[in-house]
Amino acid sequence: SSGINAEYGEEFYLEMEYKTPFPYFHTFAGEKCMVGLNFCHDGEAQLFLDAVNGIVIRNRKRKEKKDAQNRPPPMASMPPPAPNNSITQPDGDAGKKDKK
């Protein structure tokens, strides 16, 4: 008896929605089409799901670290503006200059 082996490769990306409509059936959008994985045993399906979640979490942490390294440093805090020392003149003749 000859067994049939198939291999499928797919790249996981951060925004990927990996869904488990049933414990034994997982789905996600592949590069060219929707992909469905039907597992024979719930235990295998859970191990695979745990591995997928681990990859997604690891990739997200890498991206956050990379984003933090590429972020410009915070600007030095500016001192508060100096108080305005000008004296406000009241309305009326007191604030007008004499013309000579």
Side-chain angles (χ1 to χ4, degrees), residues 28-42:
F28 61 93
E31 188 175 330
K32 297 180 181 177
C33 62
M34 285 299 294
V35 176
L37 302 174
N38 190 18
F39 294 87
C40 293
H41 302 284
D42 290 354

Side-chain angles (χ1 to χ4, degrees), residues 28-85:
F28 61 93
E31 188 175 330
K32 297 180 181 177
C33 62
M34 285 299 294
V35 176
L37 302 174
N38 190 18
F39 294 87
C40 293
H41 302 284
D42 290 354
E44 283 183 333
Q46 186 60 49
L47 287 173
F48 193 83
L49 177 61
D50 293 345
V52 168
N53 286 334
I55 291 169
V56 170
I57 289 168
R58 184 187 72 213
N59 288 348
R60 188 175 297 133
K61 286 181 180 179
R62 283 182 183 168
K63 182 180 183 323
E64 289 170 358
K65 184 177 179 182
K66 185 177 177 182
D67 289 348
Q69 290 173 346
N70 292 336
R71 190 175 303 130
M75 293 181 56
S77 60
M78 299 294 290
N84 189 352
N85 291 331

